[in-house]
Amino acid sequence: MDSDKRASCLGCQEEMKNRLSHHDEKTIKELVNRINRIEGQLRGIKGMIERHAYCDEILNQISSANSALHGVAKLLLEKHMKSCIKEQLQAGDEQVIDEVLKTIFKMMR
């Protein structure tokens, strides 16, 4: 890769770091509330481990926390597609398609 392309890629990467979401306050509040509940679940799991709770009970709680976190990811992806991605496509930025596909593929692992 020549230096012009490398500089351009570095510029794109820096620009991507500085992007912000455009979610409304209702969405932000919903996401934060869900994360707060998950934090509580995790603290509960930690307490179960410290109290030597039966492994199966702990594993069930971990499964529940994973499901809750997955729910947050799905909600955020939906909002991302309907706002951030839509706006970037309307502005002519088709590279956003590759970006969102990469993110979705990571989520599917």
Side-chain angles (χ1 to χ4, degrees), residues 12 15-16 19-20 22 77 79-105:
C12 291
E15 181 181 317
M16 287 177 68
R19 290 189 295 182
L20 299 173
H22 304 283
L77 178 61
K79 299 296 184 175
H80 183 53
M81 295 290 291
K82 289 180 177 180
S83 62
C84 306
I85 300 301
K86 181 180 175 182
E87 290 172 12
Q88 288 175 275
L89 286 172
Q90 288 172 341
D93 180 4
E94 299 223 356
Q95 286 183 326
V96 72
I97 294 170
D98 291 332
E99 174 189 309
V100 77
L101 284 172
K102 184 177 176 183
T103 298
I104 291 168
F105 294 153

Side-chain angles (χ1 to χ4, degrees), residues 10-71:
L10 291 174
C12 291
Q13 290 171 1
E14 190 60 35
E15 181 181 317
M16 287 177 68
K17 287 180 190 176
N18 295 326
R19 290 189 295 182
L20 299 173
S21 68
H22 304 283
H23 300 301
D24 59 31
E25 287 305 313
K26 180 183 175 191
T27 299
I28 298 296
K29 186 175 181 177
E30 184 177 359
L31 290 166
V32 169
N33 285 340
R34 286 180 177 216
I35 291 296
N36 286 339
R37 283 194 301 272
I38 294 166
E39 282 180 333
Q41 283 180 296
L42 293 176
R43 283 191 300 274
I45 292 167
K46 179 182 175 191
M48 292 174 75
I49 292 168
E50 290 170 343
R51 291 186 308 275
H52 303 277
Y54 187 61
C55 297
D56 193 52
E57 293 174 19
I58 298 170
L59 291 168
N60 284 329
Q61 289 303 312
I62 290 171
S63 177
S64 177
N66 279 334
S67 293
L69 196 53
H70 187 71

